[in-house]
Amino acid sequence: MTNTLKELSTKSAKKIVLLVMDGVGGLPREPGGKTELETARTPNLDALAATAECGLHLPIGYGITPGSAPGHLALFGYDPLEFPIGRGVVAATGVAFPMKPGDVAARLNFATLDPAGAISDRRAGRIPTEKCGQLCELLKAVSIKGVEVSVRPVKDYRAVVVFRGKGLSDLVADTDPQIQGVKPLDPVATDPKGERTAQVTKDFVAQARKILASQTPANGVLMRGFAELPHIPSLQDLYQLSPVALAVYPDYKGIARLVGMEAIEDLADLEAQAKALPTVWESHDFFFIHHKYTDSKGEDGDFDEKVKEIEKVDAFLPRVLAMKPDLIIVTGDHSTPAVAKAHTSHPVPFLIAGEGVRSDGTQKFGERACARGLWGTISGQMLLRIALSYTGKLKKFGA
Amino acid sequence: MTNTLKELSTKSAKKIVLLVMDGVGGLPREPGGKTELETARTPNLDALAATAECGLHLPIGYGITPGSAPGHLALFGYDPLEFPIGRGVVAATGVAFPMKPGDVAARLNFATLDPAGAISDRRAGRIPTEKCGQLCELLKAVSIKGVEVSVRPVKDYRAVVVFRGKGLSDLVADTDPQIQGVKPLDPVATDPKGERTAQVTKDFVAQARKILASQTPANGVLMRGFAELPHIPSLQDLYQLSPVALAVYPDYKGIARLVGMEAIEDLADLEAQAKALPTVWESHDFFFIHHKYTDSKGEDGDFDEKVKEIEKVDAFLPRVLAMKPDLIIVTGDHSTPAVAKAHTSHPVPFLIAGEGVRSDGTQKFGERACARGLWGTISGQMLLRIALSYTGKLKKFGA
């Protein structure tokens, strides 16, 4: 189907906005009650829904709880099962490290090793991010012939390392044994292609150990999730789009870049996103706007705060509509009900408004209202192609 | 997807009930009328539906009328097209014969052969089951070197034979020509792997012919549907479940055992099932409860009696809910409308109640009401995975 879509794609001047409230799908606080979205006062979203085609979408599939990366891949029109994104890549793109094809990234945890070399604390007492940054600076001293080594802090004791050089591969097993009281595992190739990277990793770990020897409590490193960039065909290549991402969090800029989007830097909040939109409007035709805090508040278990975040997006919506996009999709990448304090598999409400839609009379943008919308419950991977076709970006199939 | 689900599966203490009214889906007696389920007084099911996510499911696919075995496989989360269950296996599991991997089962019909050896009656005058049992006893005298032969009566002129031994295979063609006036076909291997079984079958048929020579009218045997146990990964293996079946009919215990369920023996009716449930509650986390007679009455064409059977299950429901399952699915394995007197392809109503559901306001558990439920019409194979994810038995996919 991907090849067919690519063959059908055609350039058009029409502009599509994809507005994502991360983790917007929710659950009632008590049985029979309303979800966060149903509770929120959303006059602008409701007015838009009344002109729209609505439904619920499953980002990956029935019963599958999406991580953020696969949830977004689905919204960008990809099958997340076809393009698994490794932990190392998520970490690297998350801190906006510009990975290139052939680079190998891995998650790095600073850990505490006892005098015998066994792991006494896998998280080095959860050192603060600032300390993590200082340790990453120290690791700049690592030198491996023919390999460029980059280490970047992520959060707390977590960092990411990227190896760049010839003949590298992600076919290397974790060195993190995931338990304490034992030594870190030796890096082992899981395939002959991984031999060189295993050797590089061994060298890296040994040098890191020496550099960190006098540090307390973080005197060692554990590595997991070795990953290369997935070979994802870009949105330009597939659909001739000129896509741009307006996201605050690095993770989402990273995922957007993986599919070929330009990602605007230094956007602090919705206000900054609203101001940036006109500056990129003429030069692009696909606008991914991402709001993180609906998910964050859901993860915190804070129903009321999640409601407020949805209301903030509702207040922001007119500034997007003021640009007069030809078509706008409003949805989430997965559900993060406050009562669950986690991502869940529940289908996510969506609306498609603008060019060529059959409005279905949905009066309120919410889970139960959208379930009765025109589309019912469909795969999240279909939203983009519906938008493309409604805006003349997919030609007729067959004579 | 199966491998993905297996990787995501995780043990949780939550308990899931799958309550199946066999063949519950129905049709109106006259155009514009109500189905059996819509006619039935079901206050308990209706109250549960009001707290539930509802929909219709297609066990196998659009327009496909499910047999009992594939219909249940779908409810257990399997693709019935991926795991065909041969006629011989259905017959053997149907009489609770404990088949093992490598065993080959075949349906056996007692038939009448004329003096020249041609088939004069493929069903031996539909001899009663009792007589069939006596003939099966006589066939115990069959002796084949290296092969353990078991023959069990099924119903009327129908029996099942199971061969156990080394090097057997189900790649053998039927000996039943399906017409009268010709001799039974010689057992022929459809692949070199079936040679030994074809030889064993030839030997069995010849000995049976001698043993039955003086019998009237059943003096010969016809065999069809040679089948080995399908290699179905168990629910334990896939989802780390501890499943148990509470079914009255042997067929359903058999199908349940095929997917790794423990099956409780000697349950005479719903009362016995209700009493047995607390005895297995602590030791299991997945409970398949099966009621056969909704289907039987549908097959009989008895609309009113099917309504009564549904009402019996409604009265039984509170005893299940008293166990406080974390989640309950109520549905059927296919439709058996009384007006059709047979299984049909019509989608089957379902409700999912309990942990993490978004109740959709369905007021009556019935076909048309469920069609307007939150899920619309989906594949029956999705119900289990939705239940697993809502009860925390499937982890998040991707970072």
Side-chain angles (χ1 to χ4, degrees), chain B residues 109-114 118-132 135 155-158 180 215-222:
Chain B
N109 283 11
F110 287 105
T112 310
L113 306 183
D114 68 19
I119 303 165
S120 56
D121 184 347
R122 285 183 59 242
R123 299 185 180 86
R126 293 186 183 270
I127 53 168
T129 308
E130 193 188 347
K131 177 73 182 171
C132 180
L135 298 174
K155 195 171 190 316
D156 305 336
Y157 58 93
R158 301 196 302 266
Q180 299 184 157
Q215 295 290 325
T216 320
N219 63 348
V221 298
L222 302 173

Side-chain angles (χ1 to χ4, degrees), chain B residues 23 41 44 72 76 81 98 114 189 194 236 243 266 339 377 382 384:
Chain B
R41 286 196 64 253
N44 297 307
H72 276 88
F76 300 156
L81 297 178
D114 68 19
Q236 289 93 327
D266 302 321
V339 295
T377 299
M382 301 303 135
L384 180 73

Side-chain angles (χ1 to χ4, degrees), chain B residues 59-60 69-71 73-74 78-85 381:
Chain B
I60 306 178
L73 274 192
Y78 301 87
D79 178 358
L81 297 178
E82 193 182 341
F83 299 106
I85 302 182
Q381 299 156 48

Side-chain angles (χ1 to χ4, degrees), chain A residues 62 65 67 345-347 368 372, chain B residues 356 358-360 385 389 397 399:
Chain A
Y62 293 90
T65 298
S345 71
H346 295 86
R368 265 71 70 98
R372 286 175 172 67
Chain B
R358 294 168 173 162
S359 60
D360 59 20
R385 65 172 84 161
S389 77
F397 174 81

Side-chain angles (χ1 to χ4, degrees), chain A residues 25-27 32 60 62-70 80-81 90 335 343 345-347 367-368 371-372 377, chain B residues 1 4-5 8 53 356-361 372-375 378 382 385-386 389-390 394-399:
Chain A
L27 281 173
I60 306 178
Y62 293 90
I64 307 295
T65 298
S68 290
L81 297 178
V90 171
S335 293
H343 297 196
S345 71
H346 295 86
E367 287 83 353
R368 265 71 70 98
R372 286 175 172 67
T377 299
Chain B
M1 182 53 99
T4 301
L5 289 170
L8 297 178
E53 299 182 351
V357 306
R358 294 168 173 162
S359 60
D360 59 20
R372 287 173 174 69
L374 187 140
W375 283 107
I378 66 175
M382 301 303 135
R385 65 172 84 161
I386 293 169
S389 77
Y390 283 8
L394 288 175
K395 290 178 292 190
K396 184 167 67 175
F397 174 81

Side-chain angles (χ1 to χ4, degrees), chain B residues 10-15 239-241 285 326 388 391-393:
Chain B
T10 183
K11 192 86 185 164
S12 93
K14 300 293 172 67
K15 293 178 192 290
Y239 307 120
Q240 305 183 49
L241 291 174
D285 55 14
D326 295 287
L388 292 173
T391 52
K393 294 181 194 292

Side-chain angles (χ1 to χ4, degrees), chain A residues 42 45 60 80 89 111 125 152 158 166 183 188 204 225 231 261 287 294 296 303 333 336 343 348 380:
Chain A
T42 54
L45 283 165
I60 306 178
V89 170
R152 297 279 188 280
R158 302 196 303 265
K166 285 192 180 142
K183 290 186 180 181
V188 176
F204 172 80
H231 298 286
M261 289 194 209
F287 306 84
T294 30
S296 313
F303 191 101
D333 56 335
T336 309
H343 297 196
V348 187

